[in-house]
Amino acid sequence: MTVVRGLVGVFNGDGGVRGELAYALGKLRGTAECALCDITHRGIRTNAEWKDVVCELAVPFDLVHRNERSAEVARLTGDETPAVVAATDEGYRLVMGPADFAGVDGAAVEFVRVLRERVAKGGLRWA
């Protein structure tokens, strides 16, 4: 069974001043959304619940914007973000796409439950 050594969460938005501003304006207008952002942040601050539950995973969990992805993560996620990719002994594997965030509604605990379920369904195991 393939072992998860780390995770990469990809936000549905670009980083940098321009990307962050575009996302904030889109959020206000109702034209931009990112379920992963809703889980990891409360406004401009990191969600305290996120900080607590991400530690329970016992593997590194990196968060990146679309324009900050590695080439391999970008190949796996394409235009389908937010997403979560597992770094394994055998390379990267997509474990969550946008549809997998349905019903999580910004709750970090529920996100981790779904993540664990998707990891298991993908034939992966935790380090």
Side-chain angles (χ1 to χ4, degrees), residues 2 13 25 36 51 53 57 62 66 70 72 82 86 88 110 112 123:
T2 305
L25 291 172
L36 185 57
K51 288 181 185 180
V53 299
L57 294 174
D62 296 323
R66 283 186 308 228
S70 69
E72 181 150 3
T88 74
E110 179 63 10
V112 169

Side-chain angles (χ1 to χ4, degrees), residues 10-80:
V10 182
F11 292 122
N12 186 32
D14 290 336
V17 174
R18 188 177 197 176
E20 296 284 351
L21 184 58
Y23 178 76
L25 291 172
K27 187 86 168 164
L28 288 172
R29 284 192 223 126
T31 59
E33 64 177 67
C34 175
L36 185 57
C37 297
D38 295 343
I39 295 162
T40 61
H41 291 80
R42 291 293 177 258
I44 60 171
R45 290 201 159 93
T46 301
N47 178 3
E49 182 187 36
W50 168 253
K51 288 181 185 180
D52 292 340
V53 299
V54 76
C55 293
E56 295 173 12
L57 294 174
V59 296
F61 196 116
D62 296 323
L63 296 167
V64 297
H65 295 91
R66 283 186 308 228
N67 63 332
E68 299 165 340
R69 299 175 285 184
S70 69
E72 181 150 3
V73 170
R75 183 184 62 75
L76 288 171
T77 58
D79 293 332
E80 300 294 317

Side-chain angles (χ1 to χ4, degrees), residues 100-121:
D100 298 308
F101 289 84
V104 172
D105 297 323
V109 171
E110 179 63 10
F111 167 76
V112 169
R113 186 194 69 72
V114 172
L115 174 63
R116 289 182 187 280
E117 181 181 281
R118 297 294 302 148
V119 164
K121 282 184 180 177

